[in-house]
């Protein structure tokens, strides 16, 4: 479910009260722990946290480099944390830290799904958000792009 909201507040206002409360709470955790240099806004129909194009304009799709995002889907809510799923050591740390809280993360490809706020280990999420400053995300992104370009087969001229 992609929202057409043009602001974070409009996005939140469109949600049912229980989901608004849950996403607003997670949003506060993200904002309280977000390293300096990221911005918050609407990105891909979700509440996004990203490196602004003024800082890193060279992205494959011309969109800001996304660090994290919050969204309300049909059957659940979701927190995307790009840096967790692009770094195997970070993912391993996150899963272990999450499980130490006694909660089991409902993880998908690049996301943490939840149905209610009590499903989340907010302290672990906050700590995870602190771990990668914008320069670190840019380095991860640029390295991945270099590897992808280097790994492409070359076209043979006939």
């Amino acid at each position: 479910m992609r929202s057409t909201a043009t602001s974070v507040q409009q996005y939140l206002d469109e949600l049912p009260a229980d989901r608004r409360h849950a996403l607003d709470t997670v949003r506060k955790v993200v904002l309280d722990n977000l390293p300096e240099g990221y911005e918050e806004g609407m990105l891909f129909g979700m509440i996004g946290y990203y490196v602004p194009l003024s800082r890193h304009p060279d992205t494959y799709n011309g969109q800001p480099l996304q660090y994290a995002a919050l969204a309300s889907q049909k059957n659940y809510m979701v927190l995307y944390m790009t840096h967790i799923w692009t770094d195997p050591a970070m993912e391993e740390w996150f899963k272990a830290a999450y499980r130490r809280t006694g909660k089991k993360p409902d993880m998908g490809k690049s996301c943490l799904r939840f149905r209610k706020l009590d499903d989340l280990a907010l302290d672990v999420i906050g700590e995870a958000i602190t771990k990668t400053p914008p320069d670190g995300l840019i380095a991860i992104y640029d390295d991945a792009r270099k590897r992808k370009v280097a790994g492409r087969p070359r076209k043979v001229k006939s």
Side-chain angles (χ1 to χ4, degrees), residues 107-121:
M107 296 170 64
K109 188 174 182 178
S110 80
C111 70
L112 176 65
R113 294 180 292 260
F114 60 102
R115 295 186 193 284
K116 58 189 184 308
L117 201 50
D118 290 343
D119 294 341
L120 296 177

Side-chain angles (χ1 to χ4, degrees), residues 26-157:
V26 177
R27 176 180 177 236
K28 182 173 176 7
V29 169
V30 171
L31 288 171
D32 286 349
N33 292 283
L34 195 64
E36 190 173 330
Y38 289 110
E39 291 183 3
E40 177 188 54
M42 294 303 296
L43 194 61
F44 305 111
M46 302 179 283
I47 300 172
Y49 303 91
Y50 49 83
V51 176
L53 288 172
S54 60
R55 174 112 185 248
H56 190 358
D58 184 24
T59 62
Y60 78 95
N61 61 2
Q63 297 294 316
L65 188 55
Q66 183 174 290
Y67 180 57
L70 275 169
S72 177
Q73 303 294 339
K74 182 177 180 180
N75 295 315
Y76 53 83
M77 292 165 283
V78 64
L79 172 64
Y80 296 91
M81 293 183 289
T82 306
H83 65 297
I84 300 293
W85 288 271
T86 56
D87 180 348
M90 183 75 75
E91 183 177 359
E92 186 177 311
W93 167 85
F94 183 78
K95 287 178 179 178
Y98 210 97
R99 287 191 177 109
R100 280 194 297 276
T101 68
K103 298 182 182 208
K104 183 179 180 213
D106 181 2
M107 296 170 64
K109 188 174 182 178
S110 80
C111 70
L112 176 65
R113 294 180 292 260
F114 60 102
R115 295 186 193 284
K116 58 189 184 308
L117 201 50
D118 290 343
D119 294 341
L120 296 177
L122 293 173
D123 55 335
V124 175
I125 289 168
E127 186 176 351
I129 291 295
T130 68
K131 290 198 174 280
T132 308
D135 287 340
L137 184 65
I138 291 168
I140 291 167
Y141 176 79
D142 288 346
D143 183 55
R145 288 210 49 205
K146 286 177 191 169
R147 282 182 292 152
K148 186 171 183 167
V149 169
R152 285 187 183 155
R154 295 183 182 185
K155 292 183 179 180
V156 179
K157 294 181 181 180

